[in-house]
Amino acid sequence: MYLGDFKEPVGEWLRGEGSEADLVISSRVRLARNLTDVPFTSVANDRQRAEVADRIQDSLDTLRPGLSLKTQHLEELNAVEKLVLVERHLISRELEMASGPRVVAHDETESFSLMGNEEDHLRLQVVKSGYRLEEAWQQMDQLEKAIDSELQFAFDKKFGYLTACPTNVGTGLRASVMLHLPAMTITGKIEEVNRAATKLHLAIRGLFGEGTEAQGDFFQISNQRTLGQTEEKILQDIAEVLPKILSYERTLRGKLFEQRKEWIEDRIGRAFGTLSHARIIQSKEALDHLSLVRLGVSMGILQDLTMDQVNRMFLFSQPGHLQAIDGQELSALERDLKRAELLRKILAE
Amino acid sequence: MYLGDFKEPVGEWLRGEGSEADLVISSRVRLARNLTDVPFTSVANDRQRAEVADRIQDSLDTLRPGLSLKTQHLEELNAVEKLVLVERHLISRELEMASGPRVVAHDETESFSLMGNEEDHLRLQVVKSGYRLEEAWQQMDQLEKAIDSELQFAFDKKFGYLTACPTNVGTGLRASVMLHLPAMTITGKIEEVNRAATKLHLAIRGLFGEGTEAQGDFFQISNQRTLGQTEEKILQDIAEVLPKILSYERTLRGKLFEQRKEWIEDRIGRAFGTLSHARIIQSKEALDHLSLVRLGVSMGILQDLTMDQVNRMFLFSQPGHLQAIDGQELSALERDLKRAELLRKILAE
């Protein structure tokens, strides 16, 4: 599969462009859809799942060359290739771990992707770097309509789109933004945001969505309800709370650099120094340092470093990518050695 | 007082030259002597102490211009100036903390120095970088004879030179070498050396001699007995055990770099990275990192760094030197900031 080179810019979700890109890594919308005449994935047999995969493929073919999607069958991929797709946020951990016929398709920029035979027959995803939820939604709306004309989706006049899990019934829409909130973590204010978000029926999760813990000060905020909500209302809920979160983080950053300047510069400097010179480094430690280094770049403390370098370190230092670059499965220690080597290379550019 | 510049090479004890200089920082001999007709320092009054200081000064004047010693009266120095002298190993902590008339004199290279009114009336010291104990002793022997012709030293036919503390009676000679033994500390073998040395009546102490703990893998080995020993026997005791210690350290280093190469390179790299990028750093932490960086330079791991840079970081990052460079007393936090700044400057050369 095409992996990309760690010397080249990365896919859409880590591109580092768009509004508020220093705090908002990326914006994402996904739709859950199911075919009318096939049982839900969890109860479908392999023949039925294969049929779903085929019909998705057929519908995509009619969309080409407009979209130019690349389709892959997960049962044909090895463990490393699947892990790379997870790390690029193109498939979920669930799709990675499942068995039987299942597909992923994505365009070259990795902005648009879909999963076939995940929890639902079809999961569509549009990702835009920075805070561009509305733009992502507009694009998704068009794509969904185009695909809808080819496939027949299960829809109920009362409930809306039918999904395997009741939390997705209705619009089937989940909108989320991936945020980098180091000042909130450092000052211990992230819990406040967590409580406020819960009240507004928004969920705060980790880097890889549902069931994952926040790592390295990265948080994903998404809507929890879809039933009884319009798409506009869902986007609006996030659009209302997000500026407050961003403004709070900016205020806290300002205070940190005003009142504890040397202390925060020390932490950032040490993180940079360790990433630049370690020879063995674990994933969790690297991510913690990368978070501080990202803060340093956006605050102008690390002037010789670019956000593109940070993003590439972030992406390519993950276990799957390290093994893909090396062309073989690696032990944990081997990965820690390769990770340190890669980080040093990118930082030495 | 003359402090030197942190961009210039440092005095004799950290010059980094001489035999086995990667493991032996410096060699030192000192003689304890007392005048015949004045009570020991501890029971002398200020008038008597002033007389001792005067007579030492007079005797030095007759040695000039051959030696060109600079004399300073400690009661005229401020706290920072005294601390600098301690950190340069020109005076003891005892002389720094004492009161009343007391002097220090040293030549420009800081190879020869003397203290007046320490525990004994006169303490003479010769320091040579690297393992050059014999050379240091030869030089000391000449100096002592020259001074002896001017001053009358308390000598007993049976006991030898009389000193304030019985452990110094006899030759009054203490010979010591300052060693850098990081592989022994890392592998936990330093205790073996400690036990072996004790059996041979040698003492292992820290950077600043008696009563100080080893720091940053630096150890001082010296004779414990002077009574009933000839000067030759004292030097011979050290000369016999030292090659074994050095060879053991070299073997351990070899094994480390053979069997745990990545691990030790990681530790050295991280130490270098932290020294290069920290903004706040305490004395103890800096010394630990400097020890690893010194190991990295001598093993060829840190090829862009010189031992001279390491030695200057070592000397000038001490609290007294930092305050002297800044021209004022500094709080602990201010020193930690200045220390980090100085380390970054020297490493960026």
Side-chain angles (χ1 to χ4, degrees):
Chain A
M1 66 173 291
Y2 175 73
L3 164 75
D5 188 298
F6 71 87
K7 287 169 194 152
E8 289 169 10
V10 298
E12 183 67 28
W13 87 274
L14 265 177
R15 197 179 299 282
E17 291 167 1
S19 169
E20 315 268 12
D22 53 338
L23 274 67
V24 187
I25 311 279
S26 52
S27 306
R28 166 182 175 268
V29 296
R30 76 106 168 99
L31 289 178
R33 294 290 185 264
N34 288 277
L35 305 184
T36 49
D37 49 357
V38 185
F40 283 139
T41 309
S42 60
V43 289
N45 59 32
D46 272 5
R47 192 187 49 74
Q48 292 166 320
R49 293 187 193 190
E51 191 196 324
V52 170
D54 285 346
R55 282 164 65 182
I56 289 174
Q57 184 65 57
D58 290 346
S59 77
L60 291 181
D61 287 341
T62 66
L63 295 175
R64 285 177 183 154
L67 252 181
S68 178
L69 293 186
K70 180 185 169 182
T71 309
Q72 294 174 89
H73 293 267
L74 268 86
E75 58 277 26
E76 293 166 9
L77 302 182
N78 64 32
V80 169
E81 290 167 325
K82 284 184 278 196
L83 192 50
V84 165
L85 289 167
V86 171
E87 290 170 359
R88 296 205 156 199
H89 293 244
L90 294 171
I91 66 170
S92 61
R93 292 247 183 237
E94 290 66 31
L95 197 73
E96 177 203 10
M97 304 310 288
S99 58
R102 54 209 200 285
V103 294
V104 57
H106 64 85
D107 69 335
E108 205 182 328
T109 67
E110 298 174 18
S111 176
F112 176 70
S113 62
L114 65 81
M115 292 185 283
N117 288 319
E118 213 251 16
E119 185 181 284
D120 297 295
H121 291 153
L122 187 60
R123 290 272 177 110
L124 301 168
Q125 171 175 283
V126 174
V127 169
K128 292 281 165 194
S129 68
Y131 180 42
R132 292 192 285 168
L133 211 45
E134 184 61 37
E135 191 182 334
W137 166 246
Q138 295 300 337
Q139 208 167 321
M140 173 63 95
D141 196 32
Q142 289 175 19
L143 284 164
E144 195 261 354
K145 285 194 173 83
I147 294 174
D148 193 13
S149 65
E150 298 297 321
L151 298 169
Q152 208 157 359
F153 292 137
F155 184 83
D156 177 276
K157 279 189 184 157
K158 187 178 169 196
F159 291 115
Y161 288 99
L162 301 178
T163 55
C165 176
T167 58
N168 291 316
V169 171
T171 59
L173 172 67
R174 177 150 291 164
S176 65
V177 281
M178 181 73 74
L179 305 177
H180 183 223
L181 306 175
M184 284 206 198
T185 331
I186 288 168
T187 57
K189 301 290 187 189
I190 195 73
E191 264 314 301
E192 283 182 24
V193 177
N194 219 334
R195 280 195 298 271
T198 308
K199 273 189 201 166
L200 296 163
H201 303 288
L202 297 175
I204 299 202
R205 299 195 172 99
L207 261 180
F208 292 98
E210 211 160 331
T212 65
E213 269 185 40
Q215 287 182 307
D217 317 325
F218 296 96
F219 303 91
Q220 183 179 295
I221 294 192
S222 61
N223 63 305
Q224 281 200 305
R225 296 188 300 189
T226 61
L227 186 61
Q229 309 270 324
T230 62
E231 287 85 354
E232 286 69 26
K233 178 69 172 64
I234 289 169
L235 297 178
Q236 198 187 324
D237 280 353
I238 295 183
E240 267 175 26
V241 74
L242 198 67
K244 291 175 194 156
I245 294 176
L246 300 186
S247 154
Y248 195 14
E249 167 74 14
R250 288 197 201 285
T251 304
L252 292 174
R253 287 187 185 194
K255 277 191 193 164
L256 267 182
F257 282 85
E258 204 177 286
Q259 295 162 8
R260 301 169 73 188
K261 186 172 158 59
E262 292 94 354
W263 180 84
I264 190 71
E265 286 184 356
D266 181 60
R267 287 200 53 180
I268 290 168
R270 284 166 181 258
F272 177 77
T274 304
L275 290 178
S276 305
H277 297 284
R279 301 277 165 160
I280 306 175
I281 192 162
Q282 295 188 350
S283 187
K284 169 76 171 69
E285 190 196 348
L287 200 55
D288 287 342
H289 296 326
L290 281 171
S291 173
L292 281 166
V293 163
R294 192 180 197 282
L295 177 65
V297 171
S298 50
M299 299 302 285
I301 305 298
L302 298 172
Q303 299 197 342
D304 295 336
L305 202 63
T306 65
M307 201 55 100
D308 172 58
Q309 282 171 294
V310 176
N311 290 338
R312 282 183 287 127
M313 288 193 282
F314 194 87
L315 185 70
F316 288 103
S317 71
Q318 297 179 98
H321 280 75
L322 288 172
Q323 295 176 88
I325 291 171
D326 215 55
Q328 58 183 329
E329 288 198 33
L330 301 170
S331 70
L333 176 60
E334 286 168 336
R335 291 200 302 273
D336 294 346
L337 287 164
K338 293 280 176 189
R339 180 175 296 114
E341 189 186 335
L342 177 102
L343 293 168
R344 290 201 309 279
K345 275 187 191 163
I346 295 180
L347 285 169
E349 281 169 9
Chain B
M1 66 172 288
Y2 176 73
L3 165 75
D5 187 298
F6 71 86
K7 288 171 193 150
E8 288 168 11
V10 298
E12 184 67 29
W13 86 273
L14 265 176
R15 196 179 300 280
E17 291 167 1
S19 169
E20 314 269 12
D22 53 337
L23 274 67
V24 186
I25 312 279
S26 52
S27 307
R28 167 183 174 268
V29 295
R30 76 104 168 100
L31 289 180
R33 294 290 185 264
N34 288 278
L35 306 186
T36 50
D37 49 357
V38 185
F40 284 139
T41 309
S42 60
V43 289
N45 59 33
D46 272 7
R47 192 188 49 75
Q48 291 166 319
R49 292 188 194 190
E51 189 197 326
V52 170
D54 286 346
R55 282 164 65 181
I56 290 174
Q57 184 65 57
D58 290 346
S59 77
L60 291 180
D61 287 341
T62 66
L63 295 174
R64 284 176 183 153
L67 251 180
S68 177
L69 293 186
K70 181 186 168 180
T71 309
Q72 294 174 87
H73 293 266
L74 268 86
E75 58 276 27
E76 292 166 10
L77 301 182
N78 64 33
V80 168
E81 290 168 325
K82 282 184 277 195
L83 192 51
V84 165
L85 289 168
V86 171
E87 290 170 359
R88 296 206 156 199
H89 292 245
L90 294 171
I91 66 169
S92 62
R93 293 247 183 236
E94 289 66 31
L95 197 74
E96 176 203 8
M97 304 310 287
S99 58
R102 53 209 200 285
V103 294
V104 57
H106 64 85
D107 69 336
E108 206 184 328
T109 67
E110 299 172 18
S111 176
F112 175 70
S113 62
L114 65 81
M115 292 185 284
N117 287 320
E118 214 249 16
E119 186 180 284
D120 297 295
H121 291 153
L122 186 60
R123 290 273 177 111
L124 301 168
Q125 170 176 284
V126 174
V127 170
K128 292 281 165 195
S129 69
Y131 180 40
R132 293 192 285 167
L133 212 44
E134 184 61 39
E135 191 182 333
W137 165 245
Q138 295 302 336
Q139 207 166 322
M140 173 63 95
D141 197 31
Q142 289 173 21
L143 284 163
E144 196 259 355
K145 286 195 174 82
I147 293 175
D148 193 13
S149 65
E150 297 299 320
L151 298 169
Q152 207 157 0
F153 292 137
F155 184 82
D156 177 276
K157 280 188 182 160
K158 186 175 170 197
F159 291 116
Y161 288 100
L162 300 179
T163 55
C165 177
T167 57
N168 291 314
V169 170
T171 59
L173 172 68
R174 176 151 289 163
S176 64
V177 282
M178 181 73 74
L179 306 176
H180 183 222
L181 306 175
M184 284 206 197
T185 331
I186 287 168
T187 56
K189 301 290 187 191
I190 194 73
E191 265 314 302
E192 284 182 24
V193 177
N194 220 335
R195 279 195 296 272
T198 308
K199 272 189 201 166
L200 296 163
H201 304 289
L202 296 175
I204 299 202
R205 300 198 171 98
L207 260 180
F208 291 98
E210 210 160 333
T212 67
E213 271 187 37
Q215 286 183 309
D217 316 325
F218 296 95
F219 303 91
Q220 184 180 293
I221 294 192
S222 61
N223 63 306
Q224 281 199 305
R225 295 188 298 189
T226 60
L227 186 62
Q229 310 270 324
T230 63
E231 287 85 353
E232 286 69 26
K233 177 71 172 66
I234 290 170
L235 297 177
Q236 196 188 325
D237 280 353
I238 297 184
E240 267 175 25
V241 74
L242 198 68
K244 290 173 193 156
I245 294 176
L246 300 185
S247 154
Y248 195 14
E249 168 73 16
R250 289 197 201 284
T251 303
L252 291 174
R253 287 187 184 194
K255 277 191 190 163
L256 266 182
F257 282 85
E258 204 178 287
Q259 296 162 9
R260 301 170 73 187
K261 185 173 160 58
E262 291 93 353
W263 179 84
I264 190 70
E265 285 184 357
D266 181 60
R267 286 200 54 181
I268 290 169
R270 284 167 181 259
F272 177 76
T274 304
L275 289 178
S276 304
H277 297 283
R279 301 277 166 159
I280 305 174
I281 193 161
Q282 296 187 349
S283 187
K284 168 79 172 70
E285 190 195 348
L287 201 55
D288 287 342
H289 296 326
L290 281 172
S291 173
L292 281 165
V293 163
R294 192 178 199 282
L295 176 65
V297 171
S298 50
M299 298 302 285
I301 304 298
L302 298 172
Q303 299 196 342
D304 295 337
L305 202 63
T306 65
M307 201 56 99
D308 172 58
Q309 281 171 295
V310 176
N311 290 338
R312 282 183 289 127
M313 288 193 282
F314 194 87
L315 184 71
F316 289 103
S317 71
Q318 298 180 100
H321 280 75
L322 288 173
Q323 295 176 87
I325 291 171
D326 215 54
Q328 58 183 327
E329 288 198 33
L330 300 169
S331 70
L333 176 60
E334 286 168 334
R335 289 200 303 271
D336 295 346
L337 287 164
K338 293 282 176 189
R339 180 176 296 112
E341 190 186 334
L342 177 103
L343 293 168
R344 290 202 308 280
K345 274 187 193 163
I346 295 180
L347 285 168
E349 280 168 9

